[in-house]
Amino acid sequence: MKFKSIPGAKDILPAESHRWQHVEQTFRELSHRYNFREIRTPVFEQTELFARGIGELTDIVGKEMYTFRDRSDNSLTLKPEMTAAVVRAYLQHNLEQQQPVTKMYYLAPMFRQERPQKGRLRQFHQFGLEIIGSPHPEADAEIIVMTAEYYSLLGITNVELKINSVGCQECRPAYKDKLKEFLSPHLTELSQDSQRRFDANPLRILDSKDERDSRLTADAPLQKDHLCTECSDHFSRLQEILTETRVLYTVDGRIVRGLDYYTKTAFEFISSALGSQDALSGGGRYDLLAKELGGSNVPAVGVAGGIERLLLVLDAENLFTGNEVAPVVYLAAADNESRTWLYGVTQMLRKSGIPSDTDLMNRSLKAQMREASRQNVRFTIIAGSDERNRNEVVLKDMESGDQSPVAVDKIVDIINQKQSEN
Ligand code: HAM
């Protein structure tokens, strides 16, 4: 075969799509229960939106974006994340005029040119929540509590919530200086990546996966211990609400996130079932993003989680993830004229809401019966010229093995009745 999908961009085949539908459906229903409404934005945006929103110095903007020029020489980028796009839409359509607090959810594909590995793809899918308009810790809690409930509804137990505060414009500059002061004697011993980050983004050095970096920063000062009163109060309130709602968490001063827009709360849901790419989801508060994108000061908080990683955890925990689509009835014809007539019966069943399938290959009756067993249907309907002439079919209950003639206008009632019996 000449063509293959791009490495890191996967097909979701018919045999696995029901698992996707299950996690998506659960997320949608839960979002509606929490009064979030769906937002969908285009797959591509102006490159500048992400460069400014996520931060020029981040890995995402620096090395991972799928950026291209269209025929009018505009620089466009396939969205690597949704938050900047959601804020762009919020500002563009003046959503604040409709309600003071806007609660939105999404399920969408994202694109990042990373080195593919388990749990790390180039086209991946995120579920996400954004609350725009509230500066209060109750909004942070709403995001975290719903995410925790989502994992719990899916049956996932192997998940841990880590929260942190990364401060704000008031307290971060002084903390940054403290951190740099601590790191500067070790500067040349740090990894290349961390040395590069030292000037512009020293906080990221704290979540470096490099072992030597971890050792050198073991006693580094943490932002959570150097917060201004406002950030400190916000962080305490958030913890009180989480405790009140019985959401388990640990405070981890090293959660700094890979996107530059965070202020105050930053958090991650981690699963040890995932190996090195252990973040199931992550998020936080981003009070400065709207302003950065040219809007007014609008406080906001959100989360996004990888669906592929979620499915990996469901697999690892051996959890049931939804029912495959399967017909209830298979209709098998004994001859060609009955085949056409039986197609009419098939349509009648489908229109009555009974999932049904029939032969599309002109196969023998025996082969059709084999197909019915292969599809594991509950009922098989068989008809030949005799049945057709009497406007009847033979209905076979594949569970009990019983079979009997049934008038066409009684089929739906009988099937519905038998199904409600078990
Ligand atoms: P993020 O941490 O970059 O945050 O991504 C969120 C989640 O998406 C990750 O925890 C992970 O589960 C999944 N993910 C990220 N990259 C990949 C990849 N290459 N392959 C598979 N899964 C991946 C954000 O995107 C922020 N927009 C989250 C947010 C929303 N903050 C506020 N609101």
Side-chain angles (χ1 to χ4, degrees), residues 81 83 112 114 119 121 126 130 257 261-262 279-280 302-304 306:
E81 63 111 40
T83 310
R112 296 183 194 175
E114 298 194 73
L121 295 141
Q126 282 185 344
E130 313 289 351
R257 314 275 300 125
Y261 48 58
Y262 293 108
L280 253 183
V303 66

Side-chain angles (χ1 to χ4, degrees), residues 331-350 358-363 368 381-385 387-389 391-393 408:
L331 295 95
D335 56 67
N336 263 337
E337 294 89 84
S338 306
R339 199 183 294 279
T340 311
W341 178 78
L342 206 59
Y343 195 72
V345 180
T346 311
Q347 278 308 95
M348 179 197 76
L349 291 180
R350 289 170 172 168
T358 190
D359 180 48
L360 301 177
M361 295 286 287
N362 277 4
R363 281 177 284 200
Q368 292 176 69
I381 281 177
I382 308 143
S385 52
E387 286 80 19
R388 178 161 46 93
N389 289 336
N391 210 27
E392 279 177 10
V393 296
V408 166

Side-chain angles (χ1 to χ4, degrees), residues 95-345:
L95 295 188
E96 80 287 351
Q97 286 174 2
Q98 293 170 22
Q99 48 198 0
V101 177
T102 310
K103 296 167 67 170
M104 291 169 275
Y105 76 87
Y106 47 83
L107 285 159
M110 307 292 151
F111 306 85
R112 296 183 194 175
Q113 191 165 2
E114 298 194 73
R115 203 166 37 77
Q117 64 177 79
K118 184 182 166 201
R120 191 162 73 190
L121 295 141
R122 291 181 166 177
Q123 172 170 341
F124 59 99
H125 299 76
Q126 282 185 344
F127 70 82
L129 301 169
E130 313 289 351
I131 300 181
I132 306 187
S134 167
H136 302 295
E138 283 75 7
D140 310 36
E142 177 101 324
I143 293 283
I144 293 175
V145 168
M146 186 184 135
T147 309
E149 188 173 353
Y150 179 45
Y151 293 137
S152 134
L153 263 184
L154 291 171
I156 294 175
T157 48
N158 187 347
V159 61
E160 199 190 330
L161 166 63
K162 294 183 172 177
I163 62 170
N164 188 22
S165 176
V166 294
C168 67
Q169 272 171 317
E170 286 298 309
C171 50
R172 202 180 301 161
Y175 163 70
K176 240 186 199 175
D177 289 345
K178 266 199 192 81
L179 179 62
K180 282 167 106 170
E181 206 177 293
F182 174 90
L183 291 171
S184 54
H186 311 289
L187 187 55
T188 52
E189 301 161 67
L190 289 169
S191 66
Q192 291 286 316
D193 267 354
S194 292
Q195 289 191 31
R196 210 168 29 83
R197 286 178 173 142
F198 180 79
D199 276 319
N201 199 355
L203 267 75
R204 282 302 310 277
I205 299 176
L206 295 176
D207 78 345
S208 161
K209 294 248 151 85
D210 186 284
E211 233 172 69
R212 215 152 61 135
D213 287 354
S214 310
R215 229 177 324 114
L216 290 168
T217 61
D219 297 321
L222 299 172
Q223 175 78 71
K224 72 178 174 64
D225 303 319
H226 298 86
L227 296 173
C228 59
T229 316
E230 192 187 309
C231 288
S232 168
D233 288 350
H234 188 98
F235 198 35
S236 310
R237 272 290 294 145
L238 170 63
Q239 292 181 58
E240 279 171 30
I241 305 169
L242 293 180
T243 306
E244 180 67 32
T245 32
R246 295 196 171 78
V247 170
L248 297 179
Y249 66 89
T250 49
V251 174
D252 182 340
R254 282 166 191 273
I255 299 289
V256 291
R257 314 275 300 125
L259 305 94
D260 280 354
Y261 48 58
Y262 293 108
T263 46
K264 294 185 177 151
T265 311
F267 65 88
E268 282 179 359
F269 282 87
I270 309 286
S271 174
S272 61
L274 284 171
S276 65
Q277 302 302 313
D278 62 357
L280 253 183
S281 55
R285 180 160 278 287
Y286 50 95
D287 291 345
L288 307 176
L289 181 56
K291 188 93 186 271
E292 185 64 38
L293 298 180
S296 50
N297 253 329
V298 194
V301 56
V303 66
I307 302 215
E308 286 82 357
R309 290 188 191 179
L310 182 54
L311 291 171
L312 282 174
V313 174
L314 289 171
D315 269 348
E317 295 198 16
N318 228 345
L319 289 165
F320 168 72
T321 57
N323 272 326
E324 217 171 321
V325 171
V328 173
V329 183
Y330 192 85
L331 295 95
D335 56 67
N336 263 337
E337 294 89 84
S338 306
R339 199 183 294 279
T340 311
W341 178 78
L342 206 59
Y343 195 72
V345 180

